[in-house]
Amino acid sequence: MSAFFLSLHVIAAIVAIGPVTVAASMFPAAVRRARATGPSATAPVAVVRLLHRICRVYAGVGIAVPVFGFATASSMGVLTDPWLIVSVVLTGIAAVLLIVVLLPRQEELVAEFDRTGAPVPGGPDGGTTTSPGSP
């Protein structure tokens, strides 16, 4: 059973943590590009929104990683081993930073584009419209 839980843990880590890491690291550059092109450019703002959505969705999916990790550790009988405790602490710190710092800041930056009237792809006619609250 340990091998099964370990496989699920590793697969969940690859599927969930990888996209969050990549999207979060690409986000600042995407914001700079969107700001440089101005609020009338659709593509750079859409990239910012997409990267934020990836971070938000995969952060939720990432809950599976510690769940399967604890199942693996429990089946192996290593719940009190120092390496596992360090791993849990580091994972907790990363989760807190993601939830308390990174995602709220991304929300603020996306809201900044919404306030400036950045185009929102997929308006009623399939084209672009301005964001709610834009002039």
Side-chain angles (χ1 to χ4, degrees):
M1 199 60 159
S2 296
F4 175 70
F5 284 134
L6 181 60
S7 296
L8 290 176
H9 174 65
V10 170
I11 290 169
I14 292 168
V15 169
I17 306 305
V20 171
T21 304
V22 172
S25 66
M26 292 174 64
F27 190 85
V31 168
R32 284 190 298 274
R33 247 186 327 276
R35 283 180 173 161
T37 59
S40 62
T42 303
V45 175
V47 169
V48 169
R49 288 188 177 107
L50 175 65
L51 291 173
H52 172 60
R53 183 176 175 149
I54 290 169
C55 287
R56 208 177 58 235
V57 169
Y58 282 95
V61 173
I63 297 298
V65 176
V67 169
F68 291 131
F70 278 118
T72 303
S74 178
S75 70
M76 293 172 64
V78 295
L79 283 172
T80 58
D81 285 7
W83 66 267
L84 182 70
I85 293 168
V86 169
S87 176
V88 169
V89 168
L90 291 174
T91 300
I93 291 169
V96 167
L97 286 173
L98 180 65
I99 294 167
V100 174
V101 177
L102 189 70
L103 290 176
R105 181 63 181 140
Q106 286 183 354
E107 300 252 349
E108 290 173 11
L109 292 167
V110 169
E112 175 186 311
F113 289 113
D114 290 342
R115 281 191 307 276
T116 60
V120 178
D125 59 354
T128 59
T129 60
T130 55
S131 300
S134 63

